Amino acid sequence: MELAVYAQTFLKELSNEPEDSRIDFAVNVARNISTTVLPPGSEAMKQFTLFLESNMREKSLSAPLCILASSICDHQWGNLELEDLTTIIRICVEYADIQHQPTPVRMPLLTLISHLPIKTPPQALDLLALARAAGRGARDPKVLLILFKTIAGLVNQLDSCLSGVKESSLATELQSVFDDLSLYYPLEYEPKPGTPNPVPREALVDAYNDVMLSSPRIVPYSVPFIVDQLTLAKEQDKIACFNDIVTVIDTHGIWPLSQISRDVFWEIVHDMAHSPEPTREAAMRCLRVLLDHDSLTRTSLVDYCTREFRFDSGSHASVAAVLELSAAAAESASAREMLPALLADLFRRLHYVWDLSRTKAGQDHFIWLAGAARVVSGAKDRVSGIATEVYQASIDAPLPISPRSCDQMHPVSALLAATLERITDVAPHVQNDISAIAVDLLRSWFDIAGGVDHMDDNMIDIAAKAVGISHKHPLRLVAANLETQLNSAKVESIDSLISDPIYGPVFELLRHIHRHKSVKTKGRPKPHDGATDMVIQLAHCRSDDAALKLLKKLVASIPACPIAVEATVFILESFRTSPSSSVLSDLVSKLTTTSLIHDSALGLASALRPHIGVSSDLNKIYSSANTTTLKELAENPSPEEATVQVAARLLIALGHPAASLPLTLEQLLLRLVVVSDPHTAEKVTAELAPTLRGLSSTVVKALSARFIAACDGATPVNEAEVHCVVALVNCASAFIPNDTVRQLGQTMVQVVASGTLESSMMVAGQLNAMFSHYKDTKAVVEVAGLLLGLEGQVYGKPERQAAVLVALAGLLSTMPDPAIPIVCKLRDGEAVNTMLSGIGHHGELEVSPGVAGQCAHALTRVARLAPAVVARSVAVIVTESLETSKNLPLDDASLDSLFEMMMDLLYHMATSAKSATDPVSLRLAVIFQLRPLLDHPRAEMRRAARRARCRWFLE
C-alpha cells in the first residue's frame, strides 16, 4: 500500500488506543514494519509529508507519528532521497514539541540524523541545528549519549564541507552548539541502581568530552567558559575544571589557552592558598602541564614567586602555597629556565628568615627551610651545573626600594648562612628535624650546582661571619661535625647507612664538602671493619684517582673484611674511571673464593661487569681468571653447590659476547638455572638479559618446553627456571616475541591447574612478577581469561583454588591500568566474584591471610580503576569485608597487613556505595560496624579504620 494510505490506517487504529498507551502501540507497530510497505515515489512522499504536517501538531498524535515516521525512514532508508529524509526529520523535530517528548521518540530521530550523509555545506549546518533541536533539554542518559555522539560526528565532518559557507553562519551555529552543551557542564552522572542496561558513566563522559574538549571547532568556546567556571564553581566542580584544562592541553596543545593561561595561573595561585587538599592536587596537576607548554605561565610563576620571596608572604598557608608553586617549577621539564631567578631570591629569603629566627621565636625558618629543601631536591634529576646562572640571576634582579641586608648578598652565601648553623655534631633523631632538613637542602644544592667548585673563600667567609663561625676554614668544621654524626650511627653495613634517611644525606654532603680545596683529607684512618669508618674513608675520596687508590688497598682485604667488599662495590658503581686490568683481574679472582658471602659476591660481580665489558683487555682478564668452575658447569651434570655459586659469579662478571667462554651464553645460562637456587638464577638472568638480546627468546622457548612436561603433575617445576623466565620477560621483553610470551603464559596457567601442588602455588606467585612490567595488554588479558576459565577444573580442590586466587590477585594487582576494565568484563565480571571468594570464604578454602590480603588489594585496585565493575557487587563486597575485619583477632599483629588491606578496600568502595540497592542502609551499617574497630590496640590500625569510616561519613 502507499505510504499515505498506510499512515491513515495507522492513525485510525491509533484512535482506538487509550491515550496513555499510544506510544507503546506506536513502538510495537514500528517494530513490525517490514518491506511490504511499498517504496514511495515522489508523489507518495509528498502526500506522506503533508499528512505529517497536518497531524503532527496534535499533542496526542505527535509522539506516535514521530515513532512511525522514524521507523519508516529507517526501513526505507535506501529508497528515500536525502531531501525527503531531512524533510521528515525536520517536521518531527519542529512540529512535535520535541523538547517534551520521551526517550522512544527522541532516540530514533537522533540516530537518523547521525546517519545522514553530508553532501552540501549548508546541509552540515542544517543537520547540526536539527540535532541540537532534537536533543534540547534532554536528561535521559541514553538520549544524551547519542546526542553527544551525533554532534561530535557532525562537527568533525565540518572541515571537509565548508567551502562556500559564511564564516559568520558557521560561528553562529557553533556558538549555539556550545550554548546547548554548556548547560550540562560539568557533567555529573552516575547510573541509578536497578536501571536495566544503564549507560556507563565513562561512555557518557567520553562522548561529552569528544565535543567539548576534543573538537578543535568547539574548544575556542568551551575553554574560556571552563576558565570562568573556575572562579564560580564548587570545590568538586573546580576539580573537574582543572582536569578538563589538562585534557585540552594534552589534546590540542596550549593554543586554546594562549590568551587566558594567565587567568588559569592566578586561579591556581588562589586555590593553592585557600582550597582543600583535593582541589590543590588538581590545581597542581594543571599547573605542571601549563609549565611544560606555556612560556607565559612560566614567566608569571617566576614573577609571582620572586615577589613573594622578597616581601612578606603573610600567613603560613600563603608561604606553603608559594613554596608548592616553586616546587612545581623545579619538577617541570622547563626547570632550568625558571630555577635561577627562583633560587636566587629563595636563598636570600632563607637568610632573611633565619636572621629573624635568631631574635624572634616561631616556625618561619623551619617552614622556609623545608620548602626550599623540597624545591631544590625536586630539581636534582633535571638540572646540573646551575650555580653560575643563579648568581647571574641575582645580579640581574632589581633591588627593592627598601633593600634588606640579604638582598645584596651572594645567593650561595645566603644559603650557607641559613643552613650551616643547623649542622652540628649531634645527629638528628628524626628525618623532619630542622638539622636533617638543612643537611638535605645543602646536599641537594651541591647536586644541582655541579659540586662545590663554585664556592670561593670569600663566599664561605661571608656566611661563616654571619653565623659566627670563627674557624679559619669553616668547611673543615662542618666536615668534622658531619663525621661525628656518622660515627654515632649504629649500622652494620655501608648499604644500610647510605640508605638511611638521616645518615645517607649526611654522607652525601660530606662527600661534596671533601671535594672543596679548603678541606684537607690528611690523616685518614686506616681500613677498619666498621661501616662508619669505611664510609668516612669513601667520603674522603675527592677524585676518581683517590677512589682507585683506596680500591687497591681494599682488594687485599677481600674476603676477610665484608665491609671491604661493600666499599669496593660502592667505588665501582659510583666513580666513572675504570680500574686497571690488573685490579680487575684481582677482583675476578676474589670471586672464586668460596669463603666470600654469596650475595656479596654476586653484588661484586654485578659491579665489575660494566668495567670488564668496556675493558680492552677482556680476554686477558678472562685468561688470567680461574674459570675451571665454568668448564665444570658446562660438563658436569651434577656440580657441587659451591661450584655453581662461583660459576654464577664468573658468568655475571665475564659473560660478554667477546669472551672465550666454554659454551655460548644462553647454553651456560640454561645449565646454570637447572642446578642453581632461584635467587641466583634470577640475579644472573637479570644481568645477562641485556647482553642476550635476541637470544633471550631461545632461552624462554627452551624453558617453556620444560614447563609443558611438568603440566601433568608427575614432576615438579624447577623454581630456578621459573625465576629465570620471569627475569627474562621483565628485562628483555623488547627482544622476545609477544607470541612466545603468550605461549609461556598459557603453559604457566596449565601448571597452576594441573602441576604438582608445590609447583602450582609457586608458579601462581610468579605470574604477576612476569607480567608486572609487560607492555602487551592483550597477553595479560589472555592469561587472566585462562585463569578465570579454570573455575570448573579446580572446583572442590581447595589447594588449586587458592593457587588460582594467588595468580589472579597478583595479576590484577600489577597488570597495566588499561587492562583492568577489560579483564573485569570477562565472563560477566567473574574476576570480581573470584576475588570476593578469597575474602568472603577466608578459611573455608584454606586461604591464608596473605592470599586474602592479595584479593583485597586486587579488589581495591579494581574499585579505583573500574568503579562501574564493582558497582554491581558493592553491597556484597562491603559486607564480606566488614565480616572479615571484625573476625580478625586483635591481639595477632601478624594479621595487621590483612586488616589494613580490608580498611583500604572499604575506603575505596565508598565511592561506589551509591550504586547499592539501599545506599543509606549500607552507609549506616558500615559506620556502625566500624565503630568498635576504632578502639584497635595498635595506632596504625586505628588510623586505617578511622580513615575508612570518615570516607563513608562524607559520601
Side-chain angles (χ1 to χ4, degrees), residues 319-375:
V319 173
V322 73
L323 290 170
E324 283 283 330
L325 295 173
S326 302
E331 295 165 4
S332 165
S334 304
R336 193 170 196 98
E337 174 188 337
M338 296 179 280
L339 273 181
L342 286 174
L343 292 182
D345 283 306
L346 176 57
F347 290 167
R348 287 171 169 170
R349 179 58 185 257
L350 269 181
H351 182 279
Y352 173 74
V353 175
W354 161 78
D355 200 24
L356 284 180
S357 70
R358 306 176 81 185
T359 57
K360 177 183 175 183
Q363 290 187 320
D364 282 1
H365 187 214
F366 177 85
I367 294 172
W368 281 96
L369 203 66
R374 183 180 170 191
V375 172

Side-chain angles (χ1 to χ4, degrees), residues 574-830:
S574 303
F575 292 86
R576 293 184 296 273
T577 304
S578 292
S580 63
S581 58
S582 61
V583 173
L584 292 175
S585 297
D586 290 342
L587 287 171
V588 170
S589 67
K590 299 291 184 180
L591 294 177
T592 61
T593 307
T594 55
S595 60
L596 192 60
I597 299 173
H598 185 50
D599 283 344
S600 299
L602 290 175
L604 178 58
S606 299
L608 277 171
R609 180 176 176 79
H611 293 282
I612 293 176
V614 298
S615 174
S616 58
D617 297 326
L618 174 60
N619 282 313
K620 180 181 177 182
I621 296 171
Y622 179 82
S623 60
S624 64
N626 181 7
T627 57
T628 54
T629 51
L630 282 178
K631 295 177 183 178
E632 187 173 350
L633 177 68
E635 299 169 359
N636 188 346
S638 302
E640 295 180 356
E641 182 182 358
T643 301
V644 174
Q645 291 182 348
V646 172
R649 306 166 193 172
L650 292 177
L651 195 54
I652 290 175
L654 301 174
H656 299 276
S660 303
L661 301 171
L663 291 175
T664 62
L665 277 177
E666 66 270 21
Q667 288 173 327
L668 283 171
L669 179 59
L670 284 170
R671 282 289 305 131
L672 181 75
V673 298
V674 173
V675 295
S676 69
D677 62 276
H679 170 68
T680 301
E682 186 173 11
K683 179 71 173 176
V684 175
T685 305
E687 292 290 344
L688 294 184
T691 302
L692 288 170
R693 299 176 69 83
L695 298 176
S696 301
S697 181
T698 306
V699 180
V700 170
K701 288 179 179 178
L703 294 178
S704 184
R706 296 186 190 178
F707 298 159
I708 293 175
C711 288
D712 58 1
T715 57
V717 173
N718 185 330
E719 187 175 355
E721 293 179 354
V722 175
H723 281 259
C724 173
V725 163
V726 170
L728 279 173
V729 173
N730 278 324
C731 302
S733 59
F735 309 110
I736 305 175
N738 289 339
D739 290 342
T740 301
V741 178
R742 287 178 190 159
Q743 185 177 3
L744 173 63
Q746 296 168 8
T747 303
M748 294 179 80
V749 171
Q750 292 177 31
V751 174
V752 172
S754 54
T756 64
L757 290 178
E758 182 182 356
S759 300
S760 176
M761 187 59 78
M762 183 269 294
V763 170
Q766 288 295 313
L767 265 175
N768 66 313
M770 185 168 77
F771 288 105
S772 58
H773 302 292
Y774 195 61
K775 303 292 185 183
D776 185 13
T777 301
K778 187 177 180 180
V780 183
V781 173
E782 287 178 1
V783 172
L786 290 172
L787 287 169
L788 291 172
L790 296 178
E791 180 186 9
Q793 187 174 344
V794 302
Y795 182 75
K797 303 173 183 177
E799 296 87 353
R800 297 286 181 191
Q801 287 177 286
V804 172
L805 281 176
V806 169
L808 189 59
L811 279 179
L812 288 172
S813 299
T814 57
M815 66 175 57
D817 290 354
I820 290 285
I822 301 173
V823 170
C824 290
K825 290 178 183 177
L826 298 176
R827 296 176 172 265
D828 195 28
E830 185 61 30

Side-chain angles (χ1 to χ4, degrees), residues 112-295:
L112 290 174
I113 294 172
S114 67
H115 292 161
L116 286 176
I118 299 176
K119 293 186 177 180
T120 62
Q123 187 193 14
L125 302 183
D126 191 30
L127 289 180
L128 266 177
L130 281 176
R132 288 192 299 102
R136 186 172 294 132
R139 292 294 176 187
D140 190 304
K142 294 179 181 179
V143 175
L144 291 176
L145 180 62
I146 193 168
L147 171 65
F148 298 153
K149 286 186 174 181
T150 300
I151 291 180
L154 292 172
V155 170
N156 290 338
Q157 296 180 63
L158 286 178
D159 289 330
S160 61
C161 58
L162 284 182
S163 56
V165 175
K166 292 182 179 179
E167 196 65 34
S168 58
S169 301
L170 175 62
T172 300
E173 183 56 37
L174 291 176
Q175 180 69 55
S176 299
V177 170
F178 166 74
D179 289 342
D180 285 354
L181 295 184
S182 65
L183 299 175
Y184 299 99
Y185 188 87
L187 189 63
E188 296 179 354
Y189 163 70
E190 290 293 342
K192 293 182 179 179
T195 304
N197 301 318
V199 175
R201 181 184 184 279
E202 296 79 7
L204 190 62
V205 172
D206 288 347
Y208 184 67
N209 289 344
D210 281 345
V211 187
M212 290 289 282
L213 307 181
S214 299
S215 170
R217 288 284 182 181
I218 302 296
V219 159
Y221 302 92
S222 60
V223 168
F225 171 77
I226 294 172
V227 174
D228 286 342
Q229 290 293 302
L230 275 174
T231 60
L232 306 172
K234 299 177 293 184
E235 295 303 328
Q236 192 62 34
D237 294 345
K238 276 190 174 185
I239 295 174
C241 292
F242 282 127
N243 291 339
D244 288 344
I245 291 172
V246 171
T247 301
V248 168
I249 297 174
D250 289 342
T251 305
H252 303 283
I254 196 62
W255 69 263
L257 290 103
S258 57
Q259 303 299 318
I260 53 176
S261 61
R262 188 186 293 272
D263 297 334
V264 179
F265 170 74
W266 286 114
E267 187 59 36
I268 291 172
V269 170
H270 176 269
D271 286 331
M272 288 304 299
H274 301 98
S275 295
E277 184 175 355
T279 306
R280 294 201 305 270
E281 291 176 356
M284 285 302 292
R285 285 195 298 272
C286 183
L287 177 62
R288 291 187 181 99
V289 175
L290 279 170
L291 290 174
D292 289 341
H293 291 83
D294 183 39
S295 59

Side-chain angles (χ1 to χ4, degrees), residues 28 37 41 55 62 113 179 306 311 322 336 365 441 472 476 509 553 569 669 735 746 899 928 941 945-946:
N28 290 329
V37 179
N55 293 281
S62 59
I113 294 172
D179 289 342
T306 52
F311 304 103
V322 73
R336 193 170 196 98
H365 187 214
L441 170 58
K472 184 178 180 181
R476 293 187 188 180
L509 179 57
K553 296 178 181 179
V569 171
L669 179 59
F735 309 110
Q746 296 168 8
F899 183 89
F928 176 76
M941 305 305 105
R946 191 179 301 114

Side-chain angles (χ1 to χ4, degrees), residues 505-523:
V506 171
F507 165 68
E508 293 294 340
L509 179 57
L510 183 61
R511 288 187 68 198
H512 278 302
I513 288 178
H514 268 290
R515 287 181 172 86
H516 195 268
K517 60 184 180 181
S518 67
V519 181
K520 303 296 183 182
T521 57
K522 292 182 179 179

Side-chain angles (χ1 to χ4, degrees), residues 420-433:
L420 291 184
E421 188 180 49
R422 301 295 181 178
I423 302 175
T424 67
D425 57 357
V426 179
H429 297 291
V430 291
Q431 191 176 354
N432 61 352
D433 187 280

